[in-house]
Amino acid sequence: MNLRAIFQDFEKVVKSNSNISISLFDPNGQLVASSQYGDTDLDLRNLQDNQTHVVVYRIKIRDSFYGYLVIKTKEVYKYLNEIGAVLFETFKTRIELEVEKEQRARILSTNEKLTESIIYDDNVNVSLNLMKQVSLRPDVFRIPIICLNSLSFTNDVLINLKYKINDNQTFYSKINENTIILFMHVNSNQLDGYEAYLISILKELEDWGLDHTTFYLGTLVNHVKDYQPSYHQALWLKDYLSISKGKILFFKNYYLTYLIANNKSSYFSFEGYLEKIKQQKIDIVEVQTILESLLDNDFNLSRTAKTMFIHKNTLIYRINKLEREIFGFNIRNDFKNKIFVSSFLVYIKYIKIR
């Protein structure tokens, strides 16, 4: 911290009053700077003996001693102590803000190293040591959140985000101009309704300054070794889902999509059915609507027809056509066939969003 620079900004406050001058001394009593031209030979010991024209304040912040601020007048001034106290508190507050800013920068720097360790390093001990440096507990529940901004995150947003979140067990790091990774802490008393809790927090952050942002959430975990897999789940959401900005996406809601996307052997089967749909010139949107409605209504034909605003016989006709011309089996009377329909529906969505 450049104390001289802070003093030089501050001395402008008193320069308009020719009767008052301020001086800054280091912890050893050596003069650092003075607002009064020609005060280069000031002696702190002599100044401290003069109680009528001078007040001396020790600059101590968070158990660290930075030196002395001396306020003096050319002649006896009745309100010297009162004016001096105000000036000193103002100067001290300015230093406290700078100390806080430096501490935040140090924490952010460690958080950057910690985030890199989690993402790229398989040695959990590296992450544990970094967490210890910034007093992060390794046994609490956290969820990795990739915050992707369609514009860019400013440095002010990055620095002030910690105060907005106001949770010393949450840490984060800026990966690039458009991406922040949050490892959001979830208290044990929030676990039952953690999705609603996180949505409310992220909505607040969006209103505060993270606008134009999409949030991709991994899985809630409470072991450091699980941070990396959970982060990769959030990363998969970001890379594979084409979603408009302002959305909050939980990996758990796309787990079936993830399984199908990573099971390449199922592609050939599903792609064959998609090819049949194209050959028969059947509307893929209609297929999706029928299958979604069946699943939503537990394959009950009456409820499904009512949901789709069509006659039950019309629905049966359309299902029979799909079974006969596309699938080649009854999609309603067997549990494993219902699972197939669910997976195929997810595959259709996956193809469309890719």
Side-chain angles (χ1 to χ4, degrees):
M1 178 175 59
N2 190 339
L3 206 57
R4 180 191 291 272
I6 295 174
F7 177 84
Q8 288 172 344
D9 285 339
F10 180 71
E11 68 177 341
K12 298 172 185 176
V13 176
V14 298
K15 275 195 171 180
S16 60
N17 190 327
S18 59
N19 187 44
I20 298 176
S21 66
I22 58 174
S23 302
L24 177 66
F25 291 81
D26 68 16
N28 297 319
Q30 299 297 312
L31 180 66
V32 176
S34 176
S35 67
Q36 187 67 40
Y37 181 77
D39 277 354
T40 55
D41 58 346
L42 288 177
D43 189 313
L44 182 62
R45 288 169 297 182
N46 293 335
L47 289 171
Q48 287 175 316
D49 293 335
N50 187 340
Q51 300 297 318
T52 57
H53 294 267
V54 177
V55 284
V56 180
Y57 297 95
R58 298 179 80 252
I59 307 169
K60 187 177 182 181
I61 298 170
R62 296 185 181 180
D63 298 324
S64 294
F65 179 47
Y66 292 92
Y68 304 87
L69 180 70
V70 175
I71 302 172
K72 68 172 185 171
T73 58
K74 292 180 179 178
E75 55 190 36
V76 176
Y77 187 57
K78 182 179 178 180
Y79 299 106
L80 177 60
N81 287 329
E82 288 82 356
I83 295 296
V86 172
L87 289 172
F88 174 66
E89 285 303 319
T90 304
F91 183 63
K92 183 181 176 184
T93 300
R94 176 71 175 80
I95 297 173
E96 286 174 337
L97 290 173
E98 200 65 29
V99 169
E100 182 70 22
K101 184 178 178 181
E102 288 188 353
Q103 184 181 24
R104 277 182 281 167
R106 284 194 296 270
I107 291 173
L108 284 174
S109 177
T110 304
N111 285 352
E112 287 175 2
K113 294 176 183 176
L114 174 57
T115 302
E116 286 185 4
S117 170
I118 290 170
I119 294 174
Y120 302 114
D121 199 334
D122 293 330
N123 187 352
V124 176
N125 290 327
V126 175
S127 299
L128 289 170
N129 288 334
L130 289 167
M131 293 179 76
K132 188 175 181 180
Q133 291 179 27
V134 286
S135 302
L136 289 169
R137 290 178 54 189
D139 58 340
V140 298
F141 280 93
R142 294 186 178 91
I143 186 167
I145 306 173
I146 297 177
C147 311
L148 183 65
N149 194 282
S150 59
L151 303 175
S152 63
F153 293 112
T154 65
N155 287 332
D156 286 342
V157 165
L158 187 69
I159 291 173
N160 293 320
L161 183 57
K162 183 175 181 64
Y163 292 98
K164 179 59 184 175
I165 295 174
N166 194 27
D167 185 337
N168 60 13
Q169 290 302 314
T170 291
F171 62 95
Y172 62 92
S173 176
K174 184 178 177 182
I175 300 302
N176 54 48
E177 292 302 313
N178 305 91
T179 309
I180 290 175
I181 296 181
L182 273 169
F183 285 85
M184 182 74 76
H185 171 228
V186 178
N187 283 311
S188 56
N189 61 349
Q190 299 283 358
L191 292 179
D192 286 343
Y194 79 91
E195 285 188 59
Y197 167 73
L198 288 170
I199 289 172
S200 67
I201 293 294
L202 294 176
K203 286 291 186 184
E204 285 183 18
L205 292 180
E206 192 174 18
D207 294 338
W208 167 75
L210 299 189
D211 49 344
H212 305 288
T213 301
T214 304
F215 303 94
Y216 303 91
L217 291 83
T219 303
L220 191 66
V221 294
N222 65 336
H223 296 288
V224 179
K225 65 179 177 60
D226 295 325
Y227 287 176
Q228 190 178 90
S230 184
Y231 160 75
H232 281 290
Q233 292 169 354
L235 186 63
W236 179 86
L237 284 176
K238 181 182 78 70
D239 290 342
Y240 282 86
L241 300 188
S242 301
I243 302 295
S244 58
K245 63 180 180 291
K247 299 291 185 179
I248 300 173
L249 307 173
F250 290 83
F251 175 79
K252 64 184 286 294
N253 296 334
Y254 293 87
Y255 185 62
L256 187 56
T257 307
Y258 173 79
L259 290 178
I260 294 171
N262 287 278
N263 181 10
K264 304 300 182 183
S265 63
S266 66
Y267 281 17
F268 302 105
S269 172
F270 290 152
E271 286 174 358
Y273 292 118
L274 279 178
E275 188 61 32
K276 284 185 178 181
I277 290 173
K278 292 176 184 177
Q279 290 174 357
Q280 298 294 333
K281 296 182 179 181
I282 299 174
D283 185 2
I284 187 67
V285 176
E286 180 182 317
V287 175
Q288 182 175 329
T289 302
I290 292 172
L291 298 182
E292 282 184 332
S293 299
L294 282 169
L295 285 170
D296 290 343
N297 293 282
D298 197 27
F299 286 80
N300 182 289
L301 295 179
S302 297
R303 291 204 306 267
T304 302
K306 187 176 181 180
T307 301
M308 295 179 65
F309 301 102
I310 60 175
H311 194 277
K312 181 179 176 181
N313 290 339
T314 302
L315 175 63
I316 293 173
Y317 169 79
R318 293 178 183 178
I319 292 174
N320 286 339
K321 184 176 180 180
L322 290 178
E323 292 174 339
R324 182 177 65 254
E325 298 180 5
I326 305 301
F327 298 116
F329 57 85
N330 189 321
I331 62 175
R332 294 162 287 163
N333 66 353
D334 188 279
F335 177 73
K336 67 176 184 294
N337 289 347
K338 291 179 180 180
I339 293 296
F340 173 87
V341 168
S342 177
S343 301
F344 181 63
L345 177 60
V346 169
Y347 183 73
I348 292 175
K349 290 182 177 180
Y350 172 69
I351 290 297
K352 289 181 71 175
I353 61 180
R354 287 288 281 140

